[in-house]
Structure formats: C-alpha cells, structure tokens
Amino acid sequence: MKKGFTLVEVLVVVTMIMMIMVSIGGVMTGVFGSQSKNKAMDKITQNGNWILAELKKNILNADSSTENGEKFTCPIGVYDNSIVITNVKDGDKTTISCFLDSTTNSYKIASVSGKAVGTTIYLFQQNNDLRLKDCTNFVTCSTTPSLQLSNVKFNFNIEAGVDTLISKTTKDFSVDVTLRN
C-alpha cells in the first residue's frame, strides 16, 4: 500500500485554498475601499463645513439696511454665481463668487475685497484630493414683502476621487443665512 495523496485530492485542496484566498482578497479590498471612501467623505465634510461657516460669517457681517442694492447686490429669486456685500465695520465692498478658473480649468470659491485691490481670498481651490463640481445655483436671495433683503442661500457640491462608480465621493452643501435687519 502506497502512502500519499492522489492528484485529484491535491487539486481539490488547492482549488479550495484558492477560493478561500479570493474571498479574503475581496473582503480586504472592500474594507480598504470603504476606509478610503470614509476618509474622503471626512475631508469633504470638513472643507465644506468650513466654507459654509466663512460664507455665513461674511453675510452676517454685511450691511443689508439700504435699499436699491447700494450695499448688498444679490440675485433675488434666481440663482447666480456671485454676490456683492458691504462690510458693516469698515464699509469695504466684497464680492463672493464661485467661478471657473480658465487657467486651471477648475472651479473656485473666492472672496475679493474692494479696498485692498488685488486681495483675493480663496475659500476653496481644487487640489489633488478635492474639487468643486460646478457653480450652478451658487447663491440666491429672498426679500420680505416690503422688499427688504431677508435671506441669502448658498449651494455647492464638493467631490473627491476619480470618475468611477466605486471610488467617487460627492456631497452637497447648503446654508440659508437669515439677515439681521
């Protein structure tokens, strides 16, 4: 009597081991993909919330008391990609806008000060990790029945990853700012 395994027995064991390895590989790929997506979502959320806070701060520091758009130029009832505000403290006009930068072919959100000519503060610039999807419906305003400006609403979308179904992560951000009159 010979001791050992037949070729069929060895092939069955090797096949079973390969199936187990493929299953473990699939689970590990899913875990790492999920972890990567969660990190991207955390980064998107952190950046988006900071942008919302800065936009809200700018609006709350704006003077909305005058009529005829002298101190507050905002699209009423329609969406646009920019708003002009006047700071209550120093009277400085600031334009907050979302635009497509033709040199980098990417969308940016910026605050451009009127007094300090050439002073642009980018609230968001595309980087290797994150990008704005577009500037559609960035800002709109609403008024009271007496036509006094009452509310400013900002919308934007940040995405991360590549344009595939598996690794692309996006999140919409929106803030309604009710003005102090």
Side-chain angles (χ1 to χ4, degrees), residues 72-114:
F72 216 109
T73 306
C74 186
I76 306 294
V78 296
Y79 283 96
D80 200 353
N81 63 348
S82 67
I83 182 173
V84 179
I85 61 174
T86 302
N87 190 299
V88 173
K89 296 175 187 172
D90 61 8
D92 187 17
K93 285 199 180 292
T94 300
T95 301
I96 300 171
S97 60
C98 182
F99 61 95
L100 178 62
D101 185 343
S102 60
T103 58
T104 61
N105 200 30
S106 64
Y107 290 99
K108 296 180 179 181
I109 297 176
S111 171
V112 180
S113 175

Coordinates of all heavy atoms in Angstrom, one line a residue, residues 72-114:
F72 N -25.8 95.9 -0.9 CA -25.9 94.5 -0.9 C -26.5 94.1 -2.3 O -27.6 94.4 -2.6 CB -27.0 94.0 0.1 CG -26.7 92.7 0.7 CD1 -26.2 92.6 2.0 CD2 -26.8 91.5 0.0 CE1 -26.0 91.4 2.6 CE2 -26.5 90.3 0.6 CZ -26.1 90.2 1.9
T73 N -25.7 93.6 -3.2 CA -26.1 93.2 -4.5 C -26.2 91.7 -4.6 O -25.2 91.0 -4.5 CB -25.1 93.7 -5.6 OG1 -24.9 95.1 -5.4 CG2 -25.6 93.5 -7.0
C74 N -27.5 91.3 -4.7 CA -27.7 89.8 -4.6 C -28.8 89.4 -5.6 O -29.8 90.2 -5.8 CB -28.2 89.5 -3.2 SG -28.3 87.8 -2.9
P75 N -28.7 88.3 -6.2 CA -29.8 87.8 -7.2 C -31.1 87.5 -6.4 O -31.1 86.6 -5.6 CB -29.2 86.6 -7.8 CG -28.2 86.1 -6.9 CD -27.6 87.3 -6.1
I76 N -32.1 88.2 -6.6 CA -33.4 88.0 -5.9 C -34.2 87.0 -6.7 O -34.6 87.2 -7.8 CB -34.2 89.3 -5.7 CG1 -33.4 90.4 -5.1 CG2 -35.5 89.0 -5.0 CD1 -33.0 90.1 -3.7
G77 N -34.5 85.8 -6.0 CA -35.4 84.8 -6.6 C -34.8 84.0 -7.7 O -35.5 83.1 -8.2
V78 N -33.6 84.2 -8.1 CA -32.9 83.4 -9.1 C -31.5 83.1 -8.6 O -31.0 83.7 -7.7 CB -32.8 84.2 -10.5 CG1 -34.2 84.4 -11.1 CG2 -32.0 85.4 -10.3
Y79 N -30.9 82.1 -9.2 CA -29.6 81.7 -8.8 C -28.5 82.4 -9.6 O -28.7 82.6 -10.8 CB -29.4 80.2 -8.8 CG -30.0 79.5 -7.7 CD1 -31.3 79.0 -7.8 CD2 -29.4 79.4 -6.5 CE1 -31.9 78.3 -6.7 CE2 -30.0 78.8 -5.4 CZ -31.2 78.2 -5.5 OH -31.8 77.6 -4.5
D80 N -27.4 82.7 -9.0 CA -26.3 83.4 -9.7 C -25.0 82.8 -9.2 O -25.0 81.9 -8.3 CB -26.3 84.9 -9.5 CG -25.6 85.6 -10.6 OD1 -24.9 85.0 -11.4 OD2 -25.6 86.9 -10.6
N81 N -23.9 83.2 -9.7 CA -22.6 82.7 -9.2 C -21.8 83.7 -8.3 O -20.7 83.5 -7.9 CB -21.7 82.2 -10.3 CG -21.3 83.3 -11.3 OD1 -21.9 84.4 -11.2 ND2 -20.4 83.0 -12.1
S82 N -22.4 84.9 -8.0 CA -21.7 85.9 -7.2 C -22.7 86.8 -6.4 O -23.9 86.9 -6.8 CB -20.8 86.7 -8.0 OG -21.5 87.6 -8.9
I83 N -22.2 87.4 -5.4 CA -22.9 88.3 -4.5 C -21.9 89.4 -4.1 O -20.7 89.1 -3.9 CB -23.5 87.6 -3.3 CG1 -24.4 88.6 -2.5 CG2 -22.5 86.9 -2.5 CD1 -25.1 87.9 -1.4
V84 N -22.4 90.7 -4.0 CA -21.5 91.8 -3.6 C -22.1 92.3 -2.3 O -23.3 92.6 -2.2 CB -21.5 92.9 -4.6 CG1 -20.6 94.1 -4.1 CG2 -20.9 92.4 -5.9
I85 N -21.3 92.3 -1.2 CA -21.7 92.8 0.1 C -20.8 93.9 0.6 O -19.7 94.1 0.1 CB -21.6 91.6 1.1 CG1 -20.2 91.1 1.3 CG2 -22.6 90.5 0.7 CD1 -20.0 90.1 2.4
T86 N -21.3 94.7 1.5 CA -20.6 95.8 2.1 C -20.4 95.5 3.6 O -21.5 95.2 4.3 CB -21.3 97.1 2.0 OG1 -21.4 97.4 0.6 CG2 -20.5 98.3 2.6
N87 N -19.2 95.4 4.1 CA -19.0 95.1 5.5 C -19.5 96.2 6.4 O -19.2 97.4 6.1 CB -17.5 94.9 5.7 CG -17.2 94.3 7.1 OD1 -17.5 94.9 8.1 ND2 -16.6 93.1 7.1
V88 N -20.2 95.9 7.5 CA -20.7 96.9 8.4 C -19.6 97.7 9.1 O -19.7 98.9 9.3 CB -21.6 96.2 9.5 CG1 -22.0 97.2 10.5 CG2 -22.8 95.6 8.8
K89 N -18.5 97.0 9.4 CA -17.5 97.7 10.2 C -16.7 98.7 9.5 O -16.4 99.8 10.0 CB -16.5 96.6 10.8 CG -17.2 95.7 11.8 CD -16.3 94.5 12.2 CE -17.0 93.5 13.0 NZ -16.2 92.4 13.3
D90 N -16.2 98.4 8.2 CA -15.3 99.3 7.5 C -15.9 99.8 6.2 O -15.2 100.6 5.5 CB -14.0 98.6 7.3 CG -14.1 97.4 6.5 OD1 -15.1 97.1 5.9 OD2 -13.0 96.7 6.4
G91 N -17.1 99.4 5.8 CA -17.6 99.9 4.6 C -17.0 99.3 3.3 O -17.3 99.7 2.2
D92 N -16.2 98.3 3.5 CA -15.5 97.6 2.4 C -16.4 96.7 1.6 O -17.1 95.9 2.2 CB -14.3 96.8 3.0 CG -13.4 96.2 1.9 OD1 -13.5 96.7 0.8 OD2 -12.7 95.3 2.2
K93 N -16.4 96.9 0.3 CA -17.2 96.1 -0.6 C -16.4 94.8 -0.9 O -15.3 94.8 -1.2 CB -17.6 96.8 -1.9 CG -18.7 97.8 -1.7 CD -19.3 98.1 -3.1 CE -20.4 99.2 -2.9 NZ -21.5 98.7 -2.2
T94 N -17.1 93.7 -0.8 CA -16.5 92.4 -1.1 C -17.4 91.6 -2.0 O -18.6 91.6 -1.8 CB -16.4 91.6 0.3 OG1 -15.5 92.3 1.2 CG2 -15.7 90.2 0.0
T95 N -16.8 91.0 -3.0 CA -17.5 90.1 -3.9 C -17.2 88.6 -3.6 O -16.0 88.3 -3.5 CB -17.1 90.4 -5.4 OG1 -17.4 91.7 -5.7 CG2 -17.9 89.5 -6.3
I96 N -18.2 87.9 -3.3 CA -18.1 86.4 -3.1 C -18.6 85.8 -4.3 O -19.7 86.0 -4.7 CB -18.9 86.0 -1.8 CG1 -18.4 86.7 -0.6 CG2 -18.7 84.5 -1.6 CD1 -19.2 86.5 0.6
S97 N -17.8 84.9 -4.9 CA -18.2 84.3 -6.2 C -17.7 82.9 -6.3 O -16.7 82.5 -5.7 CB -17.7 85.1 -7.4 OG -16.3 85.2 -7.3
C98 N -18.4 82.1 -7.1 CA -17.9 80.8 -7.5 C -17.7 80.9 -9.0 O -18.6 81.3 -9.7 CB -19.0 79.8 -7.1 SG -18.6 78.1 -7.5
F99 N -16.6 80.5 -9.5 CA -16.3 80.7 -10.9 C -15.3 79.6 -11.4 O -14.6 78.9 -10.6 CB -15.6 82.0 -11.1 CG -14.3 82.2 -10.4 CD1 -13.1 82.0 -11.0 CD2 -14.3 82.6 -9.0 CE1 -11.9 82.1 -10.3 CE2 -13.1 82.8 -8.4 CZ -11.9 82.5 -9.0
L100 N -15.3 79.4 -12.7 CA -14.4 78.5 -13.4 C -13.1 79.3 -13.7 O -13.2 80.2 -14.5 CB -15.1 77.9 -14.7 CG -14.2 77.0 -15.5 CD1 -13.8 75.7 -14.6 CD2 -14.9 76.6 -16.7
D101 N -12.0 78.9 -13.1 CA -10.7 79.5 -13.4 C -10.2 78.9 -14.7 O -9.9 77.7 -14.8 CB -9.8 79.2 -12.3 CG -8.4 79.9 -12.4 OD1 -8.1 80.3 -13.6 OD2 -7.7 80.0 -11.4
S102 N -10.1 79.7 -15.7 CA -9.7 79.3 -17.1 C -8.3 78.8 -17.1 O -7.9 78.0 -18.0 CB -10.0 80.3 -18.1 OG -9.2 81.5 -17.8
T103 N -7.4 79.3 -16.2 CA -6.0 78.9 -16.3 C -5.8 77.5 -15.7 O -5.0 76.7 -16.2 CB -5.1 79.8 -15.5 OG1 -5.6 79.9 -14.1 CG2 -5.1 81.2 -16.1
T104 N -6.6 77.1 -14.7 CA -6.5 75.7 -14.1 C -7.7 74.8 -14.5 O -7.7 73.6 -14.2 CB -6.5 75.8 -12.6 OG1 -7.7 76.4 -12.1 CG2 -5.3 76.6 -12.1
N105 N -8.7 75.4 -15.2 CA -9.9 74.7 -15.6 C -10.5 74.0 -14.4 O -10.9 72.8 -14.5 CB -9.6 73.6 -16.7 CG -10.8 73.2 -17.5 OD1 -11.8 74.0 -17.6 ND2 -10.8 72.0 -18.0
S106 N -10.6 74.7 -13.3 CA -11.2 74.2 -12.1 C -12.1 75.3 -11.5 O -11.8 76.5 -11.7 CB -10.2 73.7 -11.1 OG -9.4 74.8 -10.7
Y107 N -13.1 74.9 -10.7 CA -14.0 75.8 -10.1 C -13.4 76.3 -8.7 O -12.7 75.5 -8.1 CB -15.4 75.2 -9.8 CG -16.1 75.0 -11.1 CD1 -16.2 73.8 -11.7 CD2 -16.8 76.1 -11.6 CE1 -16.9 73.6 -12.9 CE2 -17.6 75.9 -12.8 CZ -17.6 74.7 -13.4 OH -18.3 74.5 -14.6
K108 N -13.6 77.5 -8.4 CA -13.1 78.1 -7.1 C -14.2 78.9 -6.5 O -15.0 79.5 -7.2 CB -11.9 79.0 -7.4 CG -10.7 78.2 -8.0 CD -9.5 79.1 -8.2 CE -8.3 78.3 -8.7 NZ -7.2 79.2 -8.9
I109 N -14.1 79.0 -5.2 CA -15.0 80.0 -4.4 C -14.0 81.0 -3.8 O -13.0 80.6 -3.2 CB -15.8 79.3 -3.3 CG1 -16.7 78.3 -3.9 CG2 -16.5 80.3 -2.5 CD1 -17.5 77.5 -2.9
A110 N -14.3 82.3 -4.1 CA -13.3 83.3 -3.7 C -14.1 84.5 -3.1 O -15.2 84.8 -3.4 CB -12.5 83.8 -4.8
S111 N -13.4 85.2 -2.2 CA -13.8 86.5 -1.7 C -12.8 87.5 -2.1 O -11.7 87.4 -1.7 CB -13.9 86.3 -0.1 OG -14.1 87.5 0.5
V112 N -13.3 88.5 -2.8 CA -12.4 89.5 -3.4 C -12.8 90.9 -2.7 O -13.9 91.3 -2.8 CB -12.5 89.7 -4.9 CG1 -11.6 90.7 -5.4 CG2 -12.3 88.3 -5.6
S113 N -11.8 91.4 -2.0 CA -12.0 92.7 -1.3 C -11.9 93.9 -2.2 O -11.1 93.9 -3.1 CB -11.0 92.8 -0.2 OG -11.2 94.0 0.5
G114 N -12.8 94.9 -2.0 CA -12.8 96.1 -2.8 C -11.8 97.1 -2.4 O -11.2 97.7 -3.3

